[in-house]
Amino acid sequence: MKGFDPGKTYDKPSTLTPEGEQLVLVKRCESRQSRSGNDMLDTTLELVDRSAPGAGGTLRCFYMLTDDRKAMYWLSVFCRAADPRMRKPGSGFDPLDQASVSEFLVGGCLAVTVYHVDDEYNGRTFKAAKVRKGSERPLTGAEEKLLREQHGGQLPGAADTFDDVDIPF
């Protein structure tokens, strides 16, 4: 390809999530191990405010599962923002159990603050969008109302409920 320099950093500004506060849906959350063998939650967040720049884009963030109080604090802030049931002790949430992670976190809506950093991977530098740890918070009433209006009366990710009496079999 003419003009391509493999040693140069090529940013993709059109795909970079805008900085600032974003309303997101927890699209995917997996309990897994990092390459170095540490337990972690690998989380994909989808931008769901259709009126905001970058709507429909995704962010990935990682929460380490260690005995370190600071790391567990960041995880607890995220969990309490994603699911109201986790704001009280004794919720039964186990971050190492995938069924528990899916039940409590996947489908939750929350607000996060996004910032940009110069990142490096395999000797290449690039701009990356990151979620500021500790910025995660529950949606306000006005934000919930906005998302319900944009997504047909329910929050994005809300599971459809069916009454089995109406099913003809």
Side-chain angles (χ1 to χ4, degrees), residues 111-129:
V112 299
T113 301
V114 175
Y115 67 102
H116 295 163
V117 296
D118 291 324
D119 214 342
E120 185 269 329
Y121 183 73
N122 284 342
R124 298 196 54 157
T125 58
F126 56 93
K127 285 266 190 220

Side-chain angles (χ1 to χ4, degrees), residues 5-158:
D5 177 3
K8 182 179 175 189
T9 299
Y10 291 94
D11 294 333
K12 296 187 224 173
S14 62
T15 61
L16 198 59
T17 302
E19 286 187 304
E21 193 163 79
Q22 301 287 340
L23 305 182
V24 298
L25 164 73
V26 180
K27 194 72 171 174
R28 185 182 61 78
C29 191
E30 293 179 351
S31 181
R32 67 178 186 91
Q33 285 192 335
S34 67
R35 285 187 214 138
S36 59
N38 297 318
D39 292 324
M40 60 186 260
L41 284 181
D42 178 356
T43 308
T44 301
L45 305 173
E46 179 183 348
L47 282 65
V48 292
D49 181 359
R50 292 181 177 160
S51 62
T58 58
L59 287 163
R60 277 184 78 191
C61 57
F62 306 93
Y63 295 90
M64 301 310 295
L65 304 176
T66 68
D67 291 334
D68 177 53
R69 291 180 57 88
K70 187 175 181 181
M72 294 309 282
Y73 172 77
W74 299 136
L75 175 63
S76 70
V77 169
F78 170 70
C79 291
R80 288 193 308 263
D83 190 322
R85 296 176 292 175
M86 305 220 310
R87 294 181 197 144
K88 296 179 182 166
S91 67
F93 175 68
D94 178 3
L96 296 175
D97 176 38
Q98 186 59 48
S100 181
V101 167
S102 295
E103 175 191 347
F104 283 93
L105 298 177
V106 175
C109 288
L110 62 148
V112 299
T113 301
V114 175
Y115 67 102
H116 295 163
V117 296
D118 291 324
D119 214 342
E120 185 269 329
Y121 183 73
N122 284 342
R124 298 196 54 157
T125 58
F126 56 93
K127 285 266 190 220
K130 303 265 185 176
V131 172
R132 186 169 311 285
K133 299 288 193 225
S135 72
E136 305 93 338
R137 64 168 179 77
L139 298 179
T140 64
E143 291 165 341
E144 270 193 37
K145 182 180 177 188
L146 172 72
L147 291 181
R148 286 182 195 280
E149 289 171 358
Q150 292 178 353
H151 295 272
Q154 65 182 6
L155 287 175

